């Protein structure tokens, strides 16, 4: 008797694709991400943006810690001019280094720094609102954007080189002392015990040995110097040779307890 061999079973293909049932997913956790302040200069005059900047300054400057502002502009020379107009409208005197201004016109300065420790967080926000007002007077506009962040160690060291003195960015003015309700200006950074007269001695050495006179009641000074040049072969202003820096150090006075030390870096956009 002969036996027939059956063919192998056919493979059946269907459109149904299966997958095991997944376990129940856990709920999503909320993650808060801290984003630095970054807004167009044209928007700084808006009340909501101004309040946002004020909140950012308060967040970055707990216990009056210093803050850094990067003001991006399309032309550093015109950007410096714009900030000077805004400062003047705010009742602030800018001691602008003459060498820096001259090199800005010659396009030998890439970026400039304005240092101030006479304004509160609210006054700083108001200053940048006036920057937006001044920017609107230019055609085309000069300002691009403003970035705010906390000062880091490298900023502190760079500022010390630019000014030729350690202004004590992290010093803590005392609220109640023999110096009055405005606080003391003779506190040094933590971990460095120095006598109360050390800062005065440094300032006197830079300003020619004279004792700084008491500042006027309404005088609020800033100082503007070169932050970066366009070529390594172009030196920055020697702090000992800047008349405007000497004037600022003489009129700097006592830092108020509510004042926020601030670096405003005026630099090209892009």
């Amino acid at each position: 008797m002969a036996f027939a061999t059956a063919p192998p079973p056919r493979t059946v293909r269907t459109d149904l694709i299966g997958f095991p049932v997944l376990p129940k997913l856990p709920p999503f956790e909320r993650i808060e991400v801290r984003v630095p302040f970054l807004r167009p200069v044209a928007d700084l005059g808006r009340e909501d943006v101004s309040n946002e900047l004020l909140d950012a300054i308060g967040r970055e400057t707990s216990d009056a810690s210093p803050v850094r502002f990067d003001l991006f502009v399309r032309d550093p020379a015109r950007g410096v001019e714009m900030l000077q107009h805004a400062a003047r409208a705010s009742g602030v005197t800018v001691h602008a280094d003459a060498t820096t201004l001259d090199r800005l016109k010659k396009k030998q300065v890439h970026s400039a720094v304005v240092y101030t420790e006479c304004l509160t967080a609210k006054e700083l926000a108001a200053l940048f609102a006036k920057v937006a007002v001044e920017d609107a007077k230019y055609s085309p506009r000069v300002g691009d954007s403003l970035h705010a962040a906390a000062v880091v160690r490298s900023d502190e060291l760079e500022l010390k080189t630019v000014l030729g003195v350690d202004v004590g960015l992290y010093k803590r003015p005392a609220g109640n002392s023999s110096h009055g309700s405005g606080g003391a200006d003779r506190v040094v950074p933590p971990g460095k015990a120095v006598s109360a007269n050390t800062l005065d001695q440094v300032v006197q050495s830079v300003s020619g040995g004279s004792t700084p006179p008491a500042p006027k009641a309404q005088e609020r000074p800033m100082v503007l110097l070169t932050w970066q040049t366009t070529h390594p072969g172009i030196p920055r202003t020697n702090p000992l040779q800047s008349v405007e820096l000497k004037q600022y150090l003489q009129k700097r006075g006592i830092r108020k307890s509510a004042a926020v030390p601030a670096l405003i870096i005026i630099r090209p956009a892009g």
Side-chain angles (χ1 to χ4, degrees):
M1 180 182 289
F3 295 92
T5 304
R10 295 178 299 168
T11 302
V12 180
R13 296 181 180 180
T14 66
D15 295 332
L16 178 64
I17 299 176
F19 196 82
V21 178
L22 293 175
K24 185 178 180 179
L25 296 176
F28 287 104
E29 294 183 1
R30 178 181 176 182
I31 301 177
E32 294 185 2
V33 179
R34 183 174 177 178
V35 180
F37 178 90
L38 179 61
R39 293 291 182 271
V41 170
D43 293 343
L44 297 179
R46 289 170 31 191
E47 183 178 358
D48 59 330
V49 177
S50 185
N51 289 334
E52 184 181 349
L53 176 58
L54 181 60
D55 292 340
I57 297 172
R59 183 177 65 231
E60 300 290 357
T61 59
S62 57
D63 298 328
S65 297
V67 63
R68 167 174 170 157
F69 299 95
D70 286 273
L71 179 59
F72 293 95
V73 296
R74 295 175 178 87
D75 183 337
R78 299 178 74 191
V80 166
E81 179 184 79
M82 176 181 66
L83 182 64
Q84 285 179 301
H85 291 326
R88 189 177 301 114
S90 303
V92 180
T93 301
V94 180
H95 297 274
D97 174 57
T99 301
T100 296
L101 295 180
D102 180 63
R103 290 179 175 174
L104 278 167
K105 294 178 182 178
K106 297 177 181 178
K107 300 188 181 301
Q108 295 177 336
V109 170
H110 182 268
S111 57
V113 59
V114 173
Y115 175 70
T116 176
E117 56 180 22
C118 65
L119 301 178
T120 63
K122 187 174 182 179
E123 289 169 338
L124 283 169
L127 170 65
F128 288 112
K130 286 183 172 60
V131 167
V133 173
E134 294 298 327
D135 183 47
K137 298 178 182 179
Y138 291 84
S139 181
R141 286 178 176 267
V142 179
D144 181 82
S145 59
L146 179 72
H147 177 267
V151 167
V152 296
R153 176 63 174 168
S154 59
D155 297 328
E156 182 183 10
L157 296 176
E158 192 76 0
L159 182 65
K160 183 178 179 180
T161 302
V162 170
L163 299 181
V165 295
D166 186 355
V167 292
L169 287 175
Y170 295 93
K171 61 190 173 186
R172 297 289 186 266
N176 297 312
S177 69
S178 59
H179 294 278
S181 59
D185 186 40
R186 303 295 178 254
V187 184
V188 298
K192 187 177 181 181
V194 183
S195 65
N197 293 325
T198 301
L199 186 57
D200 281 337
Q201 294 169 355
V202 174
V203 172
Q204 290 177 28
S205 65
V206 174
S207 58
S210 59
T211 301
K216 299 178 182 179
Q218 301 299 322
E219 192 168 15
R220 297 187 295 173
M222 293 178 170
V223 63
L224 183 145
L225 290 157
T226 301
W227 187 249
Q228 290 179 334
T229 58
T230 56
H231 190 274
I234 302 174
R236 288 190 293 210
T237 303
N238 186 331
L240 297 177
Q241 297 177 350
S242 175
V243 175
E244 293 76 19
L245 175 58
K246 293 177 182 179
Q247 292 173 348
Y248 168 76
L249 293 175
Q250 290 174 346
K251 298 179 180 180
R252 182 169 165 239
I254 297 176
R255 183 190 299 177
K256 303 298 186 293
S257 58
V260 177
L263 285 73
I264 304 174
I265 314 295
I266 306 169
R267 60 195 319 150

